[in-house]
Amino acid sequence: MSSPASGGGQSFTSRIALWSARNRKLVAGIWALAVIVALAACSTIEVNDNVEQKAPGESGKAVDLFNDRFGEDEDALQEIVTFSHPTLSVDDQAYEDTVKGLMADLRAQRAEKTETRDGTTVTASTRIVSDTTTHYDTGLPGEASPFVAENETGGDVTFALVAIEGELEEAMDNIDPLLEAVADAEEASDGFEILIGGDASLNKQMSEIVEEDFAQASLLNLPITFAILMIAFGAVVAAAVPLALAFTAVALAMAVLAVISQVYALDQAYQQIVLLMGLATGIDYSLFVISRYRNERKAGRSKDEALQVASGTSGKAIVFAGATTVFAVAGMFLVNDQTFASLGLAAMTVVIFAVLAAMTLLPAMITMMGDNVDRLRIPFLPRAQQWGSDVWSSVVDRVLKRPVIPAVVTVVALLALTYPLLTLNIGFNGVKSLPEDAEGTRALARLEENFTLGLVQPAVVVVDAGEKQNVFAPEIQSSTLELVRLVGEDVLSDANPNASYGEIAREPEFNDAGDTGALFVPLNGDSGEQRAIDAVNNLRDNLIPAAFEDGSAEALVTGETAANIDFRDNIYAKTPLVLGFVLGLAFLILLLTFRSIVIAVSAIVLNLLSVGASYGVLVLVFQEGWLLEGVLNFEATGIIESWLPLFVFALVFGMSIDYEMFVMSRIKEKYEQGLTTDEAIAEGVKGTAGVITSAAAIMIAVSMIFAFTRLLGLQQFGFALAVAIAVDATIIRAFVLPTTMKLLGKWNWYLPSWLEWLPSLPMSEDVPEPPAAQQRVT
């Protein structure tokens, strides 16, 4: 058993803070200049967000093979145009004229592209649509055509496949003329409903919705955050400082990441992660230091002494909390996915800037303002940061008197909330989760009602003949035809509505070299539906092995559903690695910080309890549809997005460890100052109650803004964050942590003798005791 060392001399964080205070003009000037340069960089450097997503596993191998053998532009982007009339059939001349007329109009659409060649600006006109396919191209009668269905009123529904030129970004830029042509055709028609949706149109509409939602979220973030800070501090100036620090970190991170993106593309969501994590850490760190500084001034310390104590205690906790957050988020790199990696990089960058600003800029600002930090007080609010302190103090006193019952009850309750995690169904929600605000969703809804969404997202079977033969060899042709026959045995029809596949309406394609073929198999379901997943697994596990049993060629399955399956499998495979990495590094940092195995383990366990409970509530609300569908305006799909659990774990673990670190560092500080373990627990928890309540309230509010956006994945993300922070800042901090520490007693400070060589990092500062508390500083 070992006890923490008492403070001795100045800590490294207080030395940095005092140097920054003495050189406050220099420090503030450097940071101001850095922000100006950062803002200029953000306005002039175009961020490269063209992340090339490579599917893992078999689907990724198939995509690489297809692109290598056919060329990357061969598999054109596709739009679906649906036609519906209440009385006309596809055999009527008016119906045929409407479809063929629109297709001719779409093929005639051109896009102007301006390029600079040898110093000369050249404008070229390029086509937008490379090909169209309709019922009238098949030569089949309506009753036998996979392009025709009868609607409820007796008329016919049909659709057209429209292949778009170029890559996705270019297609999104060029899609507007097609959307306008479809709208004009519908207006000019006699009773037709004509809708368009697909790769380019939906991606563009989704991007616009995301931008609108995030713009609204950004507008709401500032006033909500500022209002909570004013309630916390009771003064406008003190409330403005954390915001200034947070946005300084955000601006610098944005600029650095813009530069990094020139060599390493970043997912477009990186800006939202920077804003979220910048607000979280920048405000939390400022709250911790400013609150401690104000309390020390109230106790009668001089400005320098108050700053030394605040930076040597709260500042030290910030450094270790920031390091833990950075390492936790770094676990995203282990997923081997560029989106995860780029978002992890964004979070790490802004957290590092938030720590640096808290260590240097914040002390400089505090010194320049002095006691003016309390200027512009809000008359009806308390003078000191006491928000929630009295309530939490009463709660802590009660639970510490009889710790066993509160500890057992709260742990059992958290485990009960975690239990639904056992039924977690991760996957992809697909097209059905898209908001109705996107016009393209109406076209896909019509397609789903009358045909199958699998027509938009077919499974692609890539047949590789190898180096010594070609796909026209009799045995390979025979195997391909056998696969078509096997698929045809389970094709969607009126007699078989639960079939796995739609009718193959697209002829197999072969590359010029003749060594590779591609067969497009429609799936009877959206890419996220279980029947689509089952259909791909059936192709891989049964149909393809049966058709190619002679080993004449290798057949690989890709497509959106196959890529989703492989992505999910990759997440499952990488989760133990990420968990081990994050928890292992967190344990080491906590062990070094508190020099106690028990505290290190208990902090991790408490964090896992809050994360597990948040996942359980997420499953109940978004997977099972409990209680909040109407409030958050979503419809439960039974699926949690595959990327979300691991991504949220990394962020939540990093963010919530701030609170654990802050509370436990205060407890350790009090213990070093001579209080008993029980007294240190009570003083530490009660002394940090107000500031943690304020910090948590801000992050819950910011996270819940995401929960009210229109994309289901973002709603799940924001809700999970908010629940995890709420659980951690209330149940864990006020009930589980103090009661378990009290029950452990002196075992909290246990360190095996063979680890006595670890360095001692006292949490207290060796500063003379202040005058009596009643001596107020005016």
Side-chain angles (χ1 to χ4, degrees), residues 358-428:
M359 292 177 65
T360 57
L361 177 60
L362 185 58
M365 293 174 67
I366 289 175
T367 304
M368 285 190 288
M369 289 185 294
D371 292 330
N372 287 326
V373 72
D374 288 330
R375 293 288 297 273
L376 301 180
R377 291 187 179 278
I378 310 299
F380 53 86
L381 293 177
R383 286 181 60 84
Q385 200 283 328
Q386 297 290 336
W387 191 25
S389 295
D390 294 339
V391 174
W392 290 121
S393 294
S394 175
V395 170
V396 171
D397 286 338
R398 288 176 181 273
V399 300
L400 287 178
K401 285 181 179 179
R402 297 179 179 83
V404 175
I405 294 177
V408 172
V409 170
T410 50
V411 169
V412 169
L414 289 172
L415 291 175
L417 285 177
T418 304
Y419 179 76
L421 178 59
L422 298 177
T423 65
L424 175 68
N425 178 32
I426 68 170
F428 286 80

Side-chain angles (χ1 to χ4, degrees), residues 446-481:
R446 178 53 57 92
L447 190 71
E448 173 69 2
E449 290 169 5
N450 296 279
F451 304 96
T452 170
L453 278 173
L455 293 166
V456 186
Q457 304 150 340
V460 183
V461 181
V462 181
V463 180
D464 180 16
E467 297 179 357
K468 298 182 179 180
Q469 57 184 339
N470 62 54
V471 289
F472 302 107
E475 60 272 22
I476 297 180
Q477 287 290 301
S478 175
S479 295
T480 303
L481 291 174

Side-chain angles (χ1 to χ4, degrees), residues 45-325:
I45 299 175
E46 184 177 355
V47 175
N48 175 19
D49 59 4
N50 186 24
V51 174
E52 295 183 6
Q53 279 289 16
K54 179 174 178 171
E58 180 179 330
S59 57
K61 183 179 177 182
V63 168
D64 289 343
L65 181 64
F66 186 94
N67 291 339
D68 181 54
R69 303 285 178 83
F70 284 91
E72 293 190 7
D73 295 332
E74 182 69 21
D75 188 19
L77 299 169
Q78 187 170 257
E79 293 289 316
I80 300 289
V81 181
T82 62
F83 299 81
S84 177
H85 195 279
T87 57
L88 295 180
S89 74
V90 292
D91 297 325
D92 292 325
Q93 191 62 45
Y95 208 129
E96 183 174 352
D97 291 344
T98 300
V99 174
K100 287 186 174 180
L102 178 55
M103 292 302 103
D105 191 10
L106 295 182
R107 289 194 298 270
Q109 296 294 327
R110 312 285 290 183
E112 291 189 352
K113 187 176 182 180
T114 302
E115 297 180 348
T116 301
R117 302 174 185 171
D118 300 327
T120 304
T121 301
V122 179
T123 300
S125 178
T126 60
R127 65 179 184 175
I128 300 174
V129 174
S130 60
D131 190 23
T132 61
T133 305
T134 71
H135 155 69
Y136 303 102
D137 299 318
T138 66
L140 295 172
E143 60 272 13
S145 173
F147 286 85
V148 180
E150 185 176 348
N151 63 32
E152 296 177 355
T153 57
D156 279 346
V157 180
T158 187
F159 67 93
L161 302 174
V162 180
I164 309 296
E165 291 276 11
E167 296 182 356
L168 180 59
E169 189 173 352
E170 180 184 358
M172 290 168 61
D173 292 336
N174 296 337
I175 196 66
D176 284 341
L178 304 189
L179 301 179
E180 293 170 5
V182 170
D184 291 344
E186 182 181 45
E187 186 176 355
S189 69
D190 183 16
F192 278 91
E193 182 187 50
I194 307 175
L195 305 169
I196 181 172
D199 295 319
S201 59
L202 270 175
N203 273 282
K204 181 172 185 176
Q205 291 158 9
M206 288 300 101
S207 295
E208 291 171 349
I209 288 173
V210 170
E211 288 177 6
E212 291 172 4
D213 286 350
F214 279 137
Q216 184 177 11
S218 299
L219 288 175
L220 290 173
N221 277 338
L222 184 60
I224 291 174
T225 300
F226 192 58
I228 295 174
L229 286 170
M230 284 197 295
I231 294 173
F233 285 118
V236 174
V237 174
V241 173
L243 277 177
L245 192 85
F247 282 105
T248 296
V250 168
L252 290 171
M254 289 287 195
V256 169
L257 290 166
V259 174
I260 292 174
S261 75
Q262 305 308 303
V263 294
Y264 186 82
L266 302 174
D267 186 272
Q268 60 181 355
Y270 86 95
Q271 295 182 358
Q272 284 68 48
I273 296 300
V274 168
L275 182 61
L276 176 69
M277 295 299 291
L279 286 174
T281 54
I283 290 174
D284 282 3
Y285 299 164
S286 300
L287 274 170
F288 296 163
V289 173
I290 294 174
S291 297
R292 186 61 186 268
Y293 173 83
R294 296 172 87 213
N295 288 338
E296 295 302 322
R297 289 290 286 147
K298 279 179 56 187
R301 294 193 191 276
S302 68
K303 295 176 183 177
D304 284 349
E305 290 175 341
L307 181 60
Q308 180 182 345
V309 172
S311 57
T313 55
S314 298
K316 196 181 299 174
I318 285 169
V319 172
F320 291 115
T324 308
T325 301

Side-chain angles (χ1 to χ4, degrees), residues 504-552:
I504 298 176
R506 186 173 174 181
E507 291 294 323
E509 296 180 6
F510 306 98
N511 67 335
D512 294 337
D515 58 2
T516 310
L519 180 65
F520 298 85
V521 181
L523 305 176
N524 182 19
D526 187 6
S527 62
E529 291 182 348
Q530 189 59 45
R531 59 181 175 181
I533 293 171
D534 291 342
V536 169
N537 289 331
N538 186 43
L539 272 175
R540 287 175 167 177
D541 300 337
N542 301 311
L543 303 190
I544 289 176
F548 290 85
E549 60 182 349
D550 60 357
S552 57

Side-chain angles (χ1 to χ4, degrees), residues 628-649:
L628 297 179
E629 282 183 303
V631 176
L632 298 179
N633 192 27
F634 75 95
E635 184 175 343
T637 61
I639 298 172
I640 302 298
E641 291 287 344
S642 292
W643 56 269
L644 190 136
L646 201 56
F647 185 70
V648 168
F649 167 77

